[in-house]
Amino acid sequence: MNIPNKKEFTLPFFGRDLTFTLSDVAGQANAAVIGRYGETHVLVTAVMGGSDRATDFFPLSVDYEERFYAAGKIIGSRFVRREGRPSDMAVLSGRLIDRSIRPLFDQRLRRDVQVVVTVLSYDEENDPDFVALATASLALGISDIPWDGPVCGIRVAYNGKDFIWNPTNLQITQAVGGINAFEAFFAGTDSKINMIELSGLDVSDEIAARAFTCAHEEIKKLIAFQRDIIKNIGKPKTSVALMTFDETQVAETRAKMWNDVSEALYIENKLDRNARLNAIRADLDAWALEKGYDQKIIASVWEEAVNEIIHKNILENDKRQDGRALDQIRPLSASVGLFSRLHGSALFVRGQTQALAVTTLAAPGSAQIVETMETSGQRRFMLHYNFPPYATGEIKRLGTPGRREIGHGALAEKAVRAVVPTQQEFPYTIRIVSEVLSSNGSSSMATTCAATLSLMDAGVPIKKPVAGIAMGLITWQGVVPTDTRTDYKILTDIQGPEDHYGDMDLKVAGTRDGITALQMDVKIEGINEAIFSQALSQARKARLEILDVIQKTIPEPRKELSAYAPIIMSLSIKPYQIGGVIGPGGKVINGMIEKFGLISIDIDDNGQVFVTGSDAQKVRTAVDYIGSITHEYEAGEIIEGPIVKLIEFGAIVDLGGGKDGMVHVSEIKNGFVKNPVGQVVRAKIIRVEENGRIGLSIKALGGNTN
């Protein structure tokens, strides 16, 4: 790149150079770095606000900006040609970076920090996520923003035999799809892994754990590279005041609330527990007001106390809020076929978490058209996740799905996608919508279970059922980050407070034979392989228990589709025949849709034709008609059809599908027959001319028109 005052740092990494360029570009940010891998370039800026915000959380935002020019595209509607709201893929990429860098900030920081990733160039081979995370880490590392990095990530594909590190898009496509094959993204520091995304089919715990270890070894190389750069050109970190309070007031507040909160936290019913905690909090606020204490002290001490109580009770006494054992699942129930007019429906309940999933089947033409910087194509399987405020007993403004809803839906979709039949096996477009009716932890995994039930209720021939479970982790570092004690406890089926205050959220979905999707976030620096392997083993035990409940409810997909589902039949034609089926201006295809009362006729570029309607007989008739208009006749073939016209030297026979053939008078046995129009004859094709004319003979079969 020809940029003034630039400094470049390069590391050869799996056949391509990872290059960071620092210059005067975006010079008003706290730091700006251009990262390159292959010919994929990203610009990452990091900016910190100049003053604290009056908030009770650390205000970090990560924005991932796709630019269509990066892939040489101009897309959008005819009237809007600029980028609009981020695509789902952009949202997921932003979340991946956020989840990797967030644990390394001191959560007491109250300055706004914004990381903006702008994809400048995309070579359609190299994953922008890899270079974006590495560049974001370096930008934060060399800036004056307080941050305990660096962090890096690496993508890996496994084809059932070998790991492929930082694969190209083509290598991923070639690797995944088979049993025990997967693609994954691991991120972490030089001592721990702190973020994972994985999807595949029946991935074994052992292979996933080996990928964890091998990925970390590669990440360490990237971290060392960053540390050298930071050492050479990094700015001193700004001394920023953290959220702290008067120690005497903190001690008095803790003493005032500790016993009551310790008791209330272990009321088993969530609604009763929340009511009691709200009452305690109201009394505490009133007490603080009388004492003249800042209300921020109450909020901070409350969070720290609840966090400490939950951690200590689990670490020292194996005591969970609802009295369960550490590896015990909450009560489960499932039901299917809830609404007769829906194509498939199911309700899955785990404790106080409830997910209603509805499956809708439609014609191939109902597939979603996807146009993003990275992808152009169609999406025939969709899973959408809705989380209304009443699910947690709250009142909020309803609107379009946020990052959380998009992320949870994408995870559940990945979990189920591997078992969904191909279009050749099941030509329908499939959409699942999950309505989370009540939530007390891991609604995404409840959605995965409900989606499986709903698909089977709809008669979708999935390969096998999928279930999911959320695993948690409790460590002393979750109370005091500098604590050196190494003991920990892994929790099965975490509920709300264990998720909110716990140190890890590891969601594992899969079949009886292995993992289909995995996602991990942490609030501490990260985890090691021992914790990861134990959590996977514990998750497998839980997954099998849930699958027992699913298959007891509905053992296999229904053999028949809903009476309200559309009927799809298909046939194959040759690609050059597509134009004839469509006709000029769509005249032929639209005429068939109207004539046979169809919903649609969809044709793939390879010549696969899908006919969709609500009446099986009409769909079959339409399929036969398309077959007739695309049939290519050959000499020697026997046909049957009515005579539709007499000419001076013979008769015209209707062959169907807009085609006809001629029987010369010399080919009619017993000579000319008076008024044969309308009579059905059998004839043999004796020639097919280059211009498409077909010659017929009745005499060759020994028949006549009588």
Side-chain angles (χ1 to χ4, degrees), residues 24-42:
D24 295 335
V25 169
Q28 296 188 63
N30 290 64
V33 181
I34 294 176
R36 176 172 64 86
Y37 193 62
E39 290 303 320
T40 294
H41 295 72
V42 299

Side-chain angles (χ1 to χ4, degrees), residues 149-444:
V151 65
C152 269
I154 187 169
R155 191 170 295 281
V156 57
Y158 183 69
N159 59 16
K161 295 181 180 178
D162 303 305
F163 292 122
I164 306 166
W165 299 103
N166 267 13
T168 63
N169 293 339
L170 178 60
Q171 287 176 316
I172 292 174
T173 301
Q174 293 172 337
V176 301
I179 301 296
N180 209 20
F182 66 87
E183 66 164 312
F185 195 97
F186 293 85
T189 66
D190 49 9
S191 60
K192 302 285 178 63
I193 292 291
N194 71 356
M195 197 287 304
I196 307 173
E197 288 281 349
L198 181 149
S199 62
L201 176 60
D202 292 343
V203 181
S204 70
D205 293 356
E206 294 75 19
I207 290 296
R210 186 149 64 90
F212 180 104
T213 301
C214 295
H216 197 204
E217 291 305 311
E218 301 302 331
I219 288 170
K220 290 176 183 178
K221 300 174 186 176
L222 297 168
I223 298 290
F225 177 48
Q226 285 195 46
R227 288 197 186 281
D228 286 342
I229 300 173
I230 294 168
K231 182 178 179 181
N232 289 330
I233 63 172
K235 302 175 184 176
K237 296 299 182 183
T238 298
S239 178
V240 178
L242 302 175
M243 181 64 76
T244 58
F245 301 101
D246 180 88
E247 293 183 4
T248 301
Q249 293 183 12
V250 169
E252 287 184 12
T253 303
R254 279 174 62 91
K256 173 71 176 175
M257 63 175 286
W258 188 269
N259 291 337
D260 289 341
V261 171
S262 296
E263 180 181 346
L265 278 173
Y266 293 89
I267 297 173
E268 184 172 342
N269 182 275
K270 178 183 177 182
L271 296 178
D272 294 340
R273 178 170 66 245
N274 287 346
R276 176 60 180 142
L277 288 170
N278 288 339
I280 296 171
R281 179 63 183 270
D283 290 343
L284 193 64
D285 288 342
W287 170 83
L289 187 62
E290 290 179 5
K291 300 278 288 186
Y293 290 174
D294 187 340
Q295 290 295 310
K296 293 179 183 178
I297 294 179
I298 308 304
S300 177
V301 173
W302 181 278
E303 284 294 297
E304 290 183 4
V306 171
N307 181 63
E308 186 175 341
I309 291 167
I310 289 175
H311 274 73
K312 284 189 172 182
N313 273 318
I314 290 173
L315 285 165
E316 295 175 350
N317 305 310
D318 287 355
K319 183 180 179 181
R320 302 178 72 172
Q321 285 181 278
D322 55 6
R324 284 181 291 145
L326 299 186
D327 63 350
Q328 185 179 354
I329 307 174
R330 286 170 289 174
L332 304 171
S333 68
S335 53
V336 296
L338 283 73
F339 307 97
S340 60
R341 292 196 66 90
L342 302 182
H343 301 166
S345 59
L347 177 67
F348 180 80
V349 178
R350 189 186 59 244
Q352 290 179 296
T353 296
Q354 303 170 351
L356 169 67
V358 177
T359 295
T360 304
L361 305 177
S366 296
Q368 180 185 8
I369 297 174
V370 178
E371 282 192 322
T372 70
M373 180 197 70
E374 294 187 49
T375 302
S376 294
Q378 292 188 331
R379 184 180 173 202
R380 64 172 288 266
F381 173 61
M382 296 159 277
L383 193 156
H384 296 140
Y385 168 102
N386 295 321
F387 193 93
Y390 62 76
T392 53
E394 297 176 291
I395 299 172
K396 293 181 180 178
R397 181 177 178 274
L398 294 171
T400 56
R403 290 189 170 205
R404 180 182 179 278
E405 285 80 6
I406 291 171
H408 280 43
L411 174 60
E413 182 177 315
K414 283 199 302 186
V416 178
R417 185 191 302 135
V419 301
V420 171
T422 64
Q423 187 171 46
Q424 289 70 35
E425 296 167 329
F426 190 73
Y428 291 84
T429 294
I430 305 166
R431 181 182 183 231
I432 302 172
V433 177
S434 172
E435 306 285 358
V436 178
L437 307 180
S438 176
S439 178
N440 187 17
S442 190
S443 55
S444 64

Side-chain angles (χ1 to χ4, degrees), residues 133-148:
L133 176 57
T135 309
S137 172
L138 184 61
L140 288 167
I142 65 172
S143 76
D144 58 350
I145 300 172
W147 186 63
D148 194 20

Side-chain angles (χ1 to χ4, degrees), residues 93-111:
S93 293
R95 280 171 55 86
L96 180 147
I97 296 167
D98 186 309
R99 291 157 47 210
S100 302
I101 66 176
R102 185 178 292 271
L104 302 177
F105 283 97
D106 191 315
Q107 300 305 303
R108 296 172 296 173
L109 190 65
R110 292 296 178 265
R111 296 277 184 95

Side-chain angles (χ1 to χ4, degrees), residues 649-671:
F649 44 82
I652 304 299
V653 178
D654 183 5
L655 303 181
K659 295 183 179 181
D660 56 39
M662 187 191 76
V663 184
H664 193 271
V665 291
S666 64
E667 296 297 334
I668 302 177
K669 189 175 182 180
N670 299 327

Side-chain angles (χ1 to χ4, degrees), residues 475-493:
T475 68
W476 290 111
Q477 289 72 42
V479 180
V480 179
T482 56
D483 198 308
T484 58
R485 284 175 285 185
T486 58
D487 45 323
Y488 62 87
K489 297 292 174 69
I490 292 174
L491 308 180
T492 294
D493 183 22

